[in-house]
Structures are given as structure tokens and as C-alpha cells.
Amino acid sequence: MLGPAWQLIPVTVLGTWAIVVNGTFFAAMSLRTRSREIMLPLLLFPITIPALISTVEATTVILVGDPATSAKFWIVLLATYDVMFTIACLALFETVLHAE
Amino acid sequence: MGDVQRIFYYHVPSAWTAFLLFFINFLASVQYLVRRNPSTDKVANWILITVASGYLHRKRGHRHGAALKRPCRKMLSRRRSATTGVTIALAYFVICKFFSVEAVDALAVTTAEVGVVFCTVVLVTGPLWARPVWGIWWTWDVRLTSTLVLWLIYVSYLILRRYSIQRPDAGDGGFAGRVRRARRAAGVFSIWIFRTQHPQPVVGGGGSIDPRMLHVLLMNWLAFLCFAYLVCWSRYRLEIMKRESRRGAGASIPVAAKGAWPDELPLRRLRRHLGDPHRGISSLWCAAIPRLKQEVDELNKK
């Protein structure tokens, strides 16, 4: 009982992109902190929660395939998140790298 | 609901206060990033002016004819979003007027710290209320989750600020860099707040509210605001003092970070009200400020 399976493609792409963008950005940011091994997950986790939640929820809805529910909301949320964080990270990456 | 309902008067004002503080933190963070560079500063100012005046214009335009055609709720939400837009711009310029670039950063730390305290209160009292009323301590509702995430983000923000490396030869550069990085983080965080805090319905607020309850609630909020202001103000003074002493240790760099408050006046007034500064809750702040001042003087002498 698979739902509209093609929706898994945008979910995968967007979810991966969210993690890639934030991971790179926060890795650069925690580069110069003390005990950076702890700092990176500490920073990355709360920031990535919305992306993780919407990815998981969207996948659940698609796999369950209940016609009454739609993954649209979660996909849109994920896309919004991606757009915002991509812009913010690109705009601020310079600042982070040169913060010395 | 009996006595349990009374926690409402504690929970909701702290939530509003926390969100207000985080909002100030957001604006301060953005300003710290933007105002270091004159061109981005100008761009940001013009964007804000454009957005605010656009909202004002639209608001006025709709009052003429379209009111009857549009569904009431849509009208209301539009007016609310217009108010929000104008408020953001106004608050931005107020902070801009009263705080220098360095002071804006101190303001951001202050509001983040105090905001986290209030947010903790919200997260503790919420389950206390939910247990008897809903029968569960916690549910993964959008609003609850987003508040929790918000709290987590701000805690990690504060940790990041504390754990950033400061070079041993801490001139202005190392410090500014550390701060800038943290500030940037705050910018990102706070964008997040706005996305999450908006769309949900009020959980537990429940339909309409008795006007008498509303009065009590608003009075309570006022009290909470006063308290938050007092704590923020003390913390802000401490932060500025700390920076001045640190800068004094560096070299003969002039002390640039002057606060928005007139020098020392409110503190004296506060002391007079509280009597002996070494007694009571305020002793912590009142004792710490003169000590820091003394340190600054000594360092300056050297």
C-alpha cells in the first residue's frame, strides 16, 4: 500500500540538502571553539530538528499511503527550511570563516 | 479546573516575556552583524523602511472599500501581519538609536540569558499544568516541541559563546571575532523562531477568556516585564563592565562601549530603594558591580 512514491524523491533530496548545508556551516563555526567534538552535535542537533522531523513525517505519510493524509505540508516545510538556511548559511559563511 | 488553572497566570506571562526577550535578541543579533559594515547597514535600513511603509500603505488602502468584501478573519490576520511588520521595523530602529554596535552585542547576551530562564519556567510549569488537565506530562504537539527546540537552541547558543576560543593575546580582534561568530549564530537561530512560533493555534488557551481573567493576566505580564527588565539591566551593566575591564587590560584602547542607560543613576536609585545593598536578593548584583568597577580602575592605572 504505497502512497505516491515519487514524493520520496523530493523528500530525499531536500532532507539531504538540509543536513549538508547545516553540517558544513556549523562545522566551520565550531572549528575554533574549545572541545569542538562536543560543540558540533550540540549545535547541529537543535538546528536540524525541524528538518529531521519533517523528513520523517513526510516519509511516514508517503509509505503508509493513507489517501486521507498528504505529505504536502511536510514537504513544503522542508523546502522552506532549506531555502532559509541555504540563504542564511551562504550569506554568513564568510563571516564565520574570517571570524578571527 | 480549580487551583491548577492558577498556574496559567505564571505560565503565560513568562512565555510572553521569554518570546519578547528572544525577539529583542534576534533584532540585536541582526544589528550586530549588519552594522559592522556600513553598506549592509544602509541596505538593511532601506529594506526595513520599505517593508514598513508598504505595510502601512496597504493597511490604509484596505480600509477604504475592500473591508466588506473580504472575510473577517482574513482582514484580521492581514492587519496583524501589518502590525507585526511595523513593530519589527520600529523596534529595530529604537535599538539602533540607543545602542552602539558593541552594546548591541551585550544586549544580545543579556536577553538570551534572561530569556532562557523564562523559557525554562515555561517548560517546567507547562507539564505541571498539563498533568492534571490533559492527563499527560508532555505531548509532541507542534507548539510544545517548538518551544523545547527553541530552548535547546538558545542553550547551545549560550554554550557556544562561552566555549569559543579567545586568543591569549586577546586584543580587540580575538574578542570581536568570537563575538561575531556567536552573533551570527544567533541570527540563524532566531529566524527559526519566527517560522515555528507563528502558525499554531493556542493550545490550552481555550476559546474566549473572561475579561477579569484577562486583566489579571495582563497585570501579571506587566510585573513579569518589570522583573525581566530589572534582571536584564543588571546583567547588561555587568556585561559592559566586564568588557571595559577586559579592554582596559589589552592596551590604551578607548572605552567605546557605553550603555544606553545614563551612568550609574538607576543603580543608585535602586540601592536607595533596597536599603543595604549587601542584604537581600539584590546583594549579588549590587556587590558585583562595584567590584568590577574597582578592577577597571586598577587596570586603567596600570
Side-chain angles (χ1 to χ4, degrees):
Chain A
M1 282 294 276
L2 206 64
W6 61 270
Q7 287 183 350
L8 280 174
I9 298 169
V11 170
T12 316
V13 172
L14 290 173
T16 312
W17 180 248
I19 291 172
V20 166
V21 165
N22 280 325
T24 316
F25 185 69
F26 284 95
M29 188 161 78
S30 60
L31 205 62
R32 291 202 193 84
T33 56
R34 271 176 276 154
S35 59
R36 67 191 72 130
E37 302 84 3
I38 304 172
M39 280 313 287
L40 179 59
L42 209 60
L43 290 172
L44 196 55
F45 178 62
I47 288 286
T48 326
I49 284 178
L52 291 180
I53 290 178
S54 37
T55 314
V56 170
E57 290 286 339
T59 315
T60 313
V61 170
I62 293 166
L63 289 186
V64 168
D66 181 1
T69 57
S70 158
K72 196 184 156 207
F73 170 76
W74 297 108
I75 295 176
V76 170
L77 186 68
L78 197 55
T80 320
Y81 178 94
D82 276 0
V83 168
M84 268 171 48
F85 274 82
T86 309
I87 292 173
C89 292
L90 282 179
L92 295 169
F93 201 71
E94 196 86 348
T95 320
V96 176
L97 277 190
H98 294 292
E100 185 65 43
Chain B
M1 273 184 268
D3 278 344
V4 182
Q5 187 56 36
R6 286 173 209 272
I7 210 168
F8 169 75
Y9 297 112
Y10 200 79
H11 179 77
V12 176
S14 5
W16 288 349
T17 314
F19 294 146
L20 180 72
L21 288 170
F22 288 153
F23 173 66
I24 296 173
N25 174 278
F26 169 64
L27 289 182
S29 308
V30 170
Q31 281 194 15
Y32 184 79
L33 277 175
V34 158
R35 276 166 66 188
R36 303 189 73 83
N37 184 343
S39 62
T40 50
D41 188 17
K42 247 177 229 163
V43 169
N45 284 351
W46 280 112
I47 288 177
L48 271 174
I49 291 172
T50 318
V51 169
S53 55
Y55 270 129
L56 280 177
H57 184 72
R58 237 170 55 178
K59 205 172 151 189
R60 219 184 29 216
H62 277 293
R63 222 173 258 161
H64 286 312
L68 279 179
K69 278 185 217 154
R70 275 169 205 288
C72 201
R73 180 173 291 179
K74 207 169 187 182
M75 197 58 196
L76 195 69
S77 79
R78 176 154 305 179
R79 192 166 297 169
R80 201 173 292 157
S81 80
T83 318
T84 314
V86 175
T87 313
I88 290 176
L90 265 183
Y92 183 90
F93 287 121
V94 166
I95 295 175
C96 216
K97 172 101 180 84
F98 285 109
F99 291 85
S100 70
V101 177
E102 281 297 315
V104 145
D105 186 54
L107 179 72
V109 201
T110 308
T111 47
E113 284 182 0
V114 183
V116 163
V117 173
F118 277 102
C119 204
T120 314
V121 170
V122 173
L123 286 174
V124 170
T125 53
L128 285 182
W129 176 83
R131 174 67 190 159
V133 176
W134 294 342
I136 40 171
W137 292 104
W138 183 265
T139 170
W140 292 105
D141 166 84
V142 188
R143 181 161 258 231
L144 303 190
T145 313
S146 66
T147 311
L148 179 67
V149 170
L150 182 68
W151 184 83
L152 278 177
I153 286 175
Y154 267 96
V155 167
S156 59
Y157 161 64
L158 290 175
I159 294 173
L160 174 71
R161 282 193 77 111
R162 187 133 311 177
Y163 274 78
S164 299
I165 291 175
Q166 206 181 338
R167 284 184 302 174
D169 54 328
D172 195 38
F175 183 61
R178 185 177 78 103
V179 164
R180 196 186 310 158
R181 208 173 322 141
R183 179 91 355 286
R184 205 221 59 292
V188 181
F189 295 165
S190 322
I191 292 168
W192 204 81
I193 305 171
F194 282 99
R195 201 169 58 68
T196 51
Q197 283 311 317
H198 266 268
Q200 316 92 33
V202 177
V203 175
S208 59
I209 181 171
D210 190 296
R212 282 171 301 173
M213 270 172 82
L214 188 64
H215 285 166
V216 177
L217 184 66
L218 288 178
M219 287 300 278
N220 246 13
W221 190 36
L222 190 67
F224 270 72
L225 279 181
C226 290
F227 179 62
Y229 175 78
L230 179 71
V231 178
C232 275
W233 167 74
S234 312
R235 179 68 185 85
Y236 178 82
R237 284 302 299 180
L238 275 178
E239 184 69 24
I240 293 284
M241 293 270 177
K242 209 160 68 180
R243 277 168 202 216
E244 282 179 2
S245 72
R246 202 173 287 157
R247 201 166 312 205
S252 59
I253 302 164
V255 175
K258 270 282 167 205
W261 286 285
D263 202 29
E264 262 247 293
L265 255 183
L267 181 64
R268 267 189 213 144
R269 216 174 296 150
L270 180 71
R271 265 195 207 154
R272 219 171 37 233
H273 277 294
L274 294 173
D276 182 9
H278 297 289
R279 207 177 45 204
I281 308 169
S282 62
S283 66
L284 189 67
W285 314 320
C286 290
I289 291 178
R291 205 189 60 227
L292 273 170
K293 243 199 159 161
Q294 207 180 342
E295 278 174 20
V296 174
D297 287 342
E298 278 170 16
L299 285 168
N300 281 343
K301 262 178 217 160
K302 277 178 200 166

